[in-house]
Amino acid sequence: MKKRALITGITGQDGSYLAEFLLTQGYEVFGFVRRTSTLNFERIRHIQDKITLVSGDILDQTSLTRALSDVQPQEVYNLAAQSFVQTSWDQPVFTGDVTGLGVTRLLDAIRTVNPAIRFYQASSSEMFGKVREVPQSEDTPFYPRSPYGVAKVYGHWITINYRESYNMHATSGILFNHESPRRGMEFVTRKVTYNAAKIKLGLATELKMGNLDSQRDWGFAGDYVQAMWLMLQQDTPDDFVIATGVTYSVEKLLSVAFSALDLDWKKFVVQDAAFMRPAEVDLLIGDASKAGKILGWEPAVSFEQLIQMMVEADYQSLKNSAK
């Protein structure tokens, strides 16, 4: 009998890559989607006939319980969140409700329907925020610097709490920044690759950016979703940092992206105070040695390969739509 997995947030970047990967592993894949005024299935359109969508909302306990009862999955991957840091400053209560309390609703629904279901929680490197040590490991204390980071800390700890209180197979992946051609436009990597492609095609003349010194540990989303799956195949639930262990500045990101199109970024980029965060996080760089040792996981795609892949995808897409 095929294994069944339910993914919340399946229409997002990670959800689409995870759904693809689970299909290659022979799973029956179910996606939990909410009814919105702008249904966006763009990222899963190519696999939509191979997966089953279940409607509901992470804010609605009843719909979660019903979905679990109907699907009867062996694994649940919680990737649903208000996931944009900047938006969390404008919508802090909503972010807390979805990104924090949403985890509790889902865990409690699992506990009610079938506590043997294996649960994956998408934790985040933003939980480290004002970092206590470099690099960050599973033992590094959290010091979140945004409502999003705070909500993720809540989701992380409630997952541990349910694991220890109810003996549930509940695991958290503390994922550092992971990108792809499917990344949302509001994220800095995609903003850079998309606008570099626009400038190359003569569709734009400048790119406004915030802090260029900010550094991140950036990996490929397609690599990272495999780590999520590996976590739920372990006998013992645990928490794992997933990262490349290498950090790059936004300036380096600009350099690689524009160079891929034979452009000099300095001629087009303008710094704008409007894009600065109220509180900036410090040096985020992950120590994924535990994941390497226990899961046998390591990233396959380099930073340069990732940015070139994104630039190429944006360039082709813009070129085709301009025809």
Side-chain angles (χ1 to χ4, degrees):
M1 202 173 99
K2 280 188 170 185
K3 264 190 176 178
R4 293 179 156 211
L6 177 66
I7 304 170
T8 71
I10 195 169
T11 59
Q13 169 189 259
D14 294 8
S16 66
Y17 279 108
L18 179 62
E20 269 176 5
F21 177 72
L22 292 177
L23 287 170
T24 69
Q25 299 299 309
Y27 278 68
E28 268 190 85
V29 177
F30 296 80
F32 189 71
V33 292
R34 67 194 167 109
R35 181 88 182 91
T36 64
S37 55
T38 53
L39 285 171
N40 182 10
F41 293 152
E42 192 59 44
R43 297 183 182 97
I44 55 169
R45 192 152 285 142
H46 62 296
I47 52 169
Q48 217 170 320
D49 59 339
K50 299 188 182 84
I51 61 180
T52 306
L53 298 179
V54 183
S55 75
D57 198 314
I58 201 84
L59 298 175
D60 181 54
Q61 184 90 30
T62 309
S63 65
L64 289 166
T65 304
R66 193 196 64 248
L68 291 166
S69 299
D70 290 350
V71 173
Q72 291 294 326
Q74 283 85 22
E75 297 172 3
V76 170
Y77 295 85
N78 183 37
L79 311 184
Q82 188 301 97
S83 61
F84 188 38
V85 174
Q86 195 68 41
T87 300
S88 78
W89 294 103
D90 300 326
Q91 302 180 23
V93 176
F94 175 72
T95 301
D97 204 357
V98 175
T99 308
L101 286 175
V103 187
T104 314
R105 291 189 194 96
L106 186 47
L107 281 164
D108 215 56
I110 289 170
R111 185 176 70 86
T112 306
V113 174
N114 177 8
I117 292 170
R118 296 190 171 197
F119 175 78
Y120 171 83
Q121 166 59 12
S123 288
S124 166
S125 59
E126 287 285 335
M127 301 189 305
F128 295 120
K130 191 174 174 65
V131 301
R132 308 284 85 191
E133 62 185 11
V134 178
Q136 294 89 48
S137 73
E138 294 79 7
D139 299 320
T140 303
F142 300 134
Y143 196 140
R145 299 275 278 166
S146 66
Y148 169 77
V150 173
K152 278 291 184 185
V153 170
Y154 177 91
H156 182 81
W157 278 111
I158 202 71
T159 301
I160 293 171
N161 201 262
Y162 269 65
R163 176 167 80 213
E164 294 178 351
S165 303
Y166 302 115
N167 198 30
M168 290 168 65
H169 196 295
T171 286
S172 280
I174 306 172
L175 272 57
F176 279 65
N177 292 64
H178 45 290
E179 319 295 316
S180 76
R182 298 178 198 169
R183 193 54 144 154
M185 291 291 183
E186 63 272 28
F187 291 88
V188 70
T189 45
R190 187 73 198 288
K191 176 181 173 178
V192 167
T193 62
Y194 183 76
N195 282 284
K198 277 182 83 171
I199 289 167
K200 180 68 175 179
L201 288 163
L203 302 172
T205 54
E206 70 169 25
L207 169 56
K208 291 182 176 179
M209 296 290 293
N211 181 8
L212 303 188
D213 299 324
S214 180
Q215 297 191 50
R216 293 290 183 275
D217 182 330
W218 279 300
F220 173 49
D223 289 342
Y224 285 38
V225 299
Q226 295 186 30
M228 299 175 184
W229 175 74
L230 285 166
M231 288 178 213
L232 294 200
Q233 310 319 305
Q234 306 305 307
D235 292 334
T236 309
D238 205 348
D239 306 316
F240 295 91
V241 163
I242 302 298
T244 68
V246 186
T247 189
Y248 294 94
S249 66
V250 172
E251 187 171 310
K252 178 67 174 175
L253 163 65
L254 288 163
S255 173
V256 172
F258 278 78
S259 295
L261 296 165
D262 298 318
L263 296 172
D264 178 1
W265 70 270
K266 290 177 182 164
K267 293 178 179 174
F268 305 100
V269 174
V270 180
Q271 275 195 284
D272 187 335
F275 295 102
M276 301 288 188
R277 287 186 186 182
E280 184 59 76
V281 299
D282 300 319
L283 181 53
L284 286 175
I285 175 167
D287 173 6
S289 54
K290 179 177 168 184
K293 192 165 75 179
I294 296 174
L295 307 177
W297 179 87
E298 56 183 43
V301 177
S302 73
F303 174 73
E304 284 81 5
Q305 288 170 324
L306 168 65
I307 301 307
Q308 281 163 3
M309 177 202 308
M310 291 175 69
V311 167
E312 179 64 23
D314 278 328
Y315 182 78
Q316 289 303 332
S317 172
L318 282 162
K319 196 175 171 185
N320 293 339
S321 62
K323 283 178 182 173

